[in-house]
Amino acid sequence: IDIGETVADSAEVASLPAIAIDEPTIALNFLVNNSPFAGREGKFVTSRQLRERLEKELEVNVGLKINFDSNESYRVFGRGELHVAILLENLRREGYELQVSQPQVIFHEENGPILPDGSRASVKTEPFEEVIIDVPSGYQGSVIERLGSRAFQMQDLKTHGNQVRITFMGPTRGLLGYRNQFVIDTKGEGIMSARVAGFKPYAGEIKKRAVGSMISMASGKALGFALWNLQERGVIYINPTTEVYEGMVIGNTAKGEEMPVNPTKGKQLSNMRSKGSDEAIDLVPPYIITIERGLEVMNEDEYLEITPKSVRLRKIYLSENDRSKAKRGKE
């Protein structure tokens, strides 16, 4: 028996109408973890074990769809980043190891108006969401500006004392990567909820601030001195003493360019004293990668590695030579 079916003692009994479930809005690939640290923490690490667990999930998770056509990866369709993040969190707590690709919004082609030649035009559509935000009135300007740049339109605004409730409508693409920015913009005092409002015509290009990746070019333990020198270039994702491997993303660059770095490089020691030799290391707290943050900040050529104890960001091709070959192949 499946969800939505009717159980009766006679074939003549009319079945109840099936419950309509909203369509998935994003898609991503689930793969077996093949990083240099694979198998260290997980109990379930094979593709067969992952497939069996995902098949079991389909029995209870009505908003999820999965394509099992490939043995190398499984295409998972979900209703937003949070829906997928909850599934990934459950998997890691149960002892699974896996890696996932960057979430992509699902586009549809639907019939449009009839053209003069009698044919029907094709219209590109995408999922839209209604977003309701409750924030102190002092933050409403930054919220409206930020969502406006992501193709959201304000539908309603109501004031209750010092609080403001704002309703927006816009494409799901615009929400990808915004939740964490919302927490920063409202200093944790805002509340945001969203619901899928169906598929509407494509909203056009959404320009987002390009952020490049700091990619480790060495394996070993990250050192405080190296991270201290790198933090001026962007945002660091790891703490000192964190184990890293070649191809692991340890931070981002403000200029939007990829930058190979060596986080394991220590201070050069010599018998000569210099003016800055005893300078204190002042490290900024890192932007620790969680499942939700990883899904937001990862690039198209990266995987999010998820294990019971760790969440890491890595390049699909770990060596710089392999990444160069892949880039030339696309060109």
Side-chain angles (χ1 to χ4, degrees):
I1 199 74
D2 202 2
I3 293 172
E5 294 182 341
T6 301
V7 181
D9 60 356
S10 171
E12 286 73 35
V13 177
S15 61
L16 297 172
I19 299 171
I21 304 297
D22 288 334
E23 289 188 60
T25 58
I26 65 169
L28 67 167
N29 294 326
F30 280 36
L31 309 94
V32 170
N33 185 18
N34 64 355
S35 86
F37 294 167
R40 287 188 175 189
E41 302 170 3
K43 292 188 296 182
F44 308 109
V45 298
T46 67
S47 59
R48 180 183 60 81
Q49 291 169 329
L50 181 59
R51 180 187 180 116
E52 289 175 354
R53 176 61 181 82
L54 291 176
E55 288 174 341
K56 185 179 178 182
E57 183 70 20
L58 286 175
E59 297 176 6
V60 294
N61 197 333
V62 295
L64 199 70
K65 292 183 180 179
I66 304 175
N67 187 331
F68 293 108
D69 288 348
S70 172
N71 292 324
E72 296 181 359
S73 66
Y74 307 123
R75 190 71 170 168
V76 176
F77 304 85
R79 297 183 61 220
E81 285 178 311
L82 185 60
H83 185 204
V84 173
I86 291 172
L87 170 60
L88 292 172
E89 181 63 34
N90 288 337
L91 290 175
R92 72 177 290 197
R93 292 185 182 187
E94 294 169 17
Y96 286 83
E97 276 196 21
L98 69 156
Q99 53 193 13
V100 299
S101 65
Q102 183 190 48
Q104 302 287 339
V105 169
I106 299 170
F107 295 102
H108 286 174
E109 293 288 339
E110 298 181 1
N111 290 329
I114 298 176
L115 300 175
D117 62 359
S119 63
R120 189 174 289 274
S122 178
V123 177
K124 185 178 182 180
T125 62
E126 62 177 319
F128 270 59
E129 297 193 29
E130 181 187 61
V131 178
I132 298 176
I133 289 177
D134 292 282
V135 289
S137 56
Y139 301 129
Q140 72 179 64
S142 61
V143 170
I144 293 172
E145 180 183 357
R146 190 81 66 175
L147 281 176
S149 67
R150 290 169 172 258
F152 273 78
Q153 296 182 351
M154 188 170 65
Q155 307 284 306
D156 188 30
L157 189 150
K158 293 179 181 176
T159 303
H160 305 278
N162 189 41
Q163 288 288 119
V164 177
R165 170 168 287 187
I166 318 171
T167 304
F168 294 92
M169 181 70 72
T172 297
R173 281 183 301 132
L175 279 186
L176 297 180
Y178 174 67
R179 293 181 185 276
N180 187 67
Q181 185 64 51
F182 172 74
V183 174
I184 295 172
D185 289 345
T186 62
K187 295 181 171 56
E189 296 184 49
I191 300 173
M192 181 173 71
S193 59
R195 70 174 186 87
V196 178
F199 281 74
K200 300 179 185 291
Y202 179 66
E205 184 182 358
I206 298 176
K207 291 185 178 180
K208 296 183 180 179
R209 178 170 168 263
V211 175
S213 299
M214 281 188 202
I215 310 162
S216 176
M217 52 194 291
S219 299
K221 285 192 175 181
L223 299 179
F225 179 76
L227 299 181
W228 178 58
N229 287 320
L230 292 174
Q231 67 185 11
E232 298 178 359
R233 308 284 188 92
V235 177
I236 302 297
Y237 296 157
I238 61 173
N239 281 305
T241 72
T242 300
E243 277 198 89
V244 300
Y245 53 78
E246 182 185 5
M248 181 173 158
V249 178
I250 63 141
N252 64 49
T253 61
K255 292 185 178 180
E257 301 172 352
E258 286 197 351
M259 184 171 68
V261 299
N262 185 358
T264 66
K265 185 178 180 181
K267 182 186 292 189
Q268 294 292 328
L269 301 177
S270 70
N271 293 327
M272 302 293 293
R273 293 192 60 143
S274 63
K275 186 176 180 182
S277 62
D278 296 323
E279 192 173 355
I281 294 176
D282 185 17
L283 286 174
V284 176
Y287 183 79
I288 299 296
I289 292 294
T290 62
I291 292 176
E292 292 86 350
R293 287 178 175 178
L295 292 175
E296 290 177 1
V297 304
M298 67 189 299
N299 292 318
E300 191 175 358
D301 63 342
E302 294 171 354
Y303 284 149
L304 186 65
E305 178 188 353
I306 300 164
T307 71
K309 297 179 182 178
S310 309
V311 178
R312 306 180 187 93
L313 208 53
R314 52 157 288 190
K315 289 295 179 183
I316 295 177
Y317 298 100
L318 296 179
S319 73
E320 191 170 1
N321 188 38
D322 288 343
R323 290 195 296 273
S324 298
K325 287 181 181 177
K327 191 175 292 185
R328 286 197 298 269
K330 285 185 178 181
E331 293 173 354

